[in-house]
Amino acid sequence: MINEFKDFIAKGNVMDMAVGIIIGAAFTAIVTSLVGDLINPVIALFTGGIDFSGWFYVLGDGEFASIEAATEAGVPVFAVGKFIMAVINFLIVAFVVFMLVKMVNRIKAAAERPDDAAPEVDSGPSELDVLLEIRDALKADRVA
């Protein structure tokens, strides 16, 4: 059973998946920082500094200054702003991933294209074409 487990782990699919998950987690941190630290401030600049994450409705009794205060009080909160920010972040992340995949595909296509492709050289008429011309010329001489 241990040997079967070793064989399973040693297969390429499992190792590729593990590397993909690790790289994906690291990439997630980079994209999260890109969105939170660079793109969201630009969006806030164009929207007049509006931070949607503070937009919420209290579903219970009382008034609270923030979502955190309402949550600490144990009151249910309908956090519309956090959802809107999650959607915006998703769209930004999806666009960044799309651009990266597009760039990787372009690089792969350039790598697959042969560099030393010789241009086609017109070698003239084929042997069959020459023989047909000779035949036609002989026929024309006989008729004339």
Side-chain angles (χ1 to χ4, degrees):
M1 182 136 149
I2 291 177
N3 287 334
E4 287 178 288
F5 181 70
K6 286 179 185 177
D7 291 340
F8 172 74
I9 293 298
K11 284 186 180 178
N13 299 359
V14 175
M15 296 306 284
D16 292 343
M17 185 177 67
V19 169
I21 290 170
I22 292 168
I23 296 295
F27 183 71
T28 299
I30 292 171
V31 173
T32 301
S33 176
L34 172 75
V35 170
D37 299 332
L38 301 177
I39 296 175
N40 282 346
V42 173
I43 291 173
L45 180 68
F46 288 114
T47 61
I50 297 173
D51 182 15
F52 292 109
S53 62
W55 182 15
F56 67 98
Y57 293 107
V58 177
L59 299 177
D61 293 329
E63 290 193 24
F64 301 93
S66 67
I67 295 174
E68 292 79 19
T71 305
E72 284 180 20
V75 177
V77 176
F78 191 68
V80 176
K82 284 188 175 183
F83 177 74
I84 290 173
M85 288 305 294
V87 169
I88 290 170
N89 288 346
F90 169 77
L91 292 174
I92 293 168
V93 169
F95 181 73
V96 169
V97 169
F98 168 74
M99 295 304 290
L100 286 172
V101 168
K102 189 173 179 178
M103 181 180 64
V104 167
N105 287 342
R106 188 177 303 136
I107 291 169
K108 283 174 63 177
E112 290 173 356
R113 187 176 47 229
D115 291 335
D116 57 348
E120 287 190 30
V121 178
D122 185 22
S123 60
S126 68
E127 185 177 338
L128 179 61
D129 293 334
V130 172
L131 290 174
L132 291 174
E133 283 183 32
I134 293 171
R135 182 198 66 189
D136 293 342
L138 290 174
K139 278 186 184 179
D141 284 340
R142 272 193 266 173
V143 174

